[in-house]
Amino acid sequence: MLFKNIVEFRDLPPADLHGIVRALHRHHYAAGEEIVRYLDHSNSVFFILQGCVRIHYYGLSGDEVILCDLPAGEMFGELTAIDGQVRSATAAAKKDTLLASMPGKVFMQLIQANPVFCTAILKRLTDQVRRLTERVFDFSTLAVRNRIHAELLRLARQNMDSPNSAVIRPAPTHAELACFVSTHREAVTRELSELAKHRLIERTGHTLRVRDVGRLKQMVDEVRGAI
């Protein structure tokens, strides 16, 4: 059952989950199709059943800022449902994606009525604050090459294939990595070439292998600890 893969639904009793599923509506989005747009007034919450969703926005200069890519099992849109404000970013399907949506009012009623679901949402928001705090710290204190290392480490941790190596597939393009860490493509190309020269990473087609995650973590920790 696709809905059991949603992180916030995993601890719900079957009867509660069945009731929630009845309040959801499924939607299919093709790759590249917008789901919600920055500053929209819609308030539905979305659960990713299949596919992947990119959360991003564009600065006044037109440069793209990628906040995150969300895989199946994740959710988005809860902030607007909670505080009633406009959308804080644009969400678009990164590939063909199947979503389930829940009206913001129903989402809030569920939080208030179901302690298990409420606790899951609180944990989710806490995790977001921790990740954003770390990202602000990195952007404020780390040099570009160190931010690239930190982003590679984050991706590697999500794609471990052994205790000390990871396979990122499909690998982000150099331009996408640049958008994640607020730099230009040339800086990413230069740093990835340096990491490959030292055999820390290896790229083959659309696959990026991190050969020594422990060493990459040490590089990031050394810089963060020196600040």
Side-chain angles (χ1 to χ4, degrees):
M1 184 179 183
L2 291 174
F3 292 97
K4 283 293 288 184
N5 295 326
I6 302 299
V7 176
E8 284 72 25
F9 292 171
R10 288 176 183 168
D11 294 329
L12 291 173
D16 290 356
L17 179 59
H18 180 68
I20 291 171
V21 169
R22 287 187 300 175
L24 298 173
H25 303 278
R26 297 193 189 199
H27 312 269
H28 177 266
Y29 292 87
E33 189 175 356
E34 280 191 356
I35 302 161
V36 297
R37 180 173 292 188
Y38 176 57
L39 299 183
D40 274 357
H41 289 274
S42 60
N43 70 351
S44 292
V45 179
F46 296 88
F47 304 90
I48 307 173
L49 303 180
Q50 295 175 335
C52 182
V53 172
R54 169 157 291 175
I55 309 298
H56 67 145
Y57 62 87
Y58 291 91
L60 292 176
S61 64
D63 293 333
E64 183 184 19
V65 178
I66 300 176
L67 299 178
C68 62
D69 288 335
L70 299 175
E74 292 288 342
M75 62 179 283
F76 63 95
E78 71 278 8
L79 298 184
T80 294
I82 292 171
D83 66 12
Q85 301 298 309
V86 295
R87 298 290 186 184
S88 57
T90 293
K94 192 177 177 185
K95 57 184 179 180
D96 286 355
T97 297
L98 178 64
L99 302 178
S101 68
M102 176 184 290
K105 182 178 180 180
V106 176
F107 177 77
M108 289 304 298
Q109 290 173 344
L110 180 58
I111 286 178
Q112 294 162 4
N114 193 308
V116 175
F117 185 72
C118 181
T119 298
I121 295 301
L122 288 174
K123 288 181 177 178
R124 174 182 177 81
L125 295 176
T126 301
D127 287 342
Q128 287 182 353
V129 171
R130 292 185 186 279
R131 287 197 303 270
L132 288 174
T133 299
E134 183 177 88
R135 193 167 185 181
V136 169
F137 176 84
D138 287 349
F139 273 53
S140 301
T141 60
L142 299 187
V144 168
R145 68 185 302 265
N146 304 124
R147 297 205 302 270
I148 295 171
H149 298 168
E151 182 62 22
L152 284 177
L153 178 61
R154 184 188 67 81
L155 291 172
R157 284 171 165 166
Q158 295 176 351
N159 295 275
M160 301 294 291
D161 72 330
S162 80
N164 195 41
S165 67
V167 175
I168 304 167
R169 184 189 302 113
T173 65
H174 292 190
E176 287 176 320
L177 270 177
C179 291
F180 274 113
V181 300
S182 189
T183 187
H184 49 83
R185 182 176 56 81
E186 293 76 13
V188 172
T189 300
R190 185 165 53 248
E191 188 55 35
L192 292 188
S193 296
E194 188 69 17
L195 293 174
K197 184 171 69 176
H198 289 87
R199 298 183 57 79
L200 192 61
I201 65 171
E202 178 184 7
R203 184 152 192 163
T204 306
H206 297 293
T207 299
L208 179 66
R209 174 177 290 277
V210 180
R211 301 167 62 95
D212 190 342
V213 176
R215 174 56 185 151
L216 184 61
K217 180 180 184 300
Q218 183 181 8
M219 291 165 62
V220 174
D221 289 345
E222 285 175 352
V223 176
R224 285 175 173 163
I227 297 170

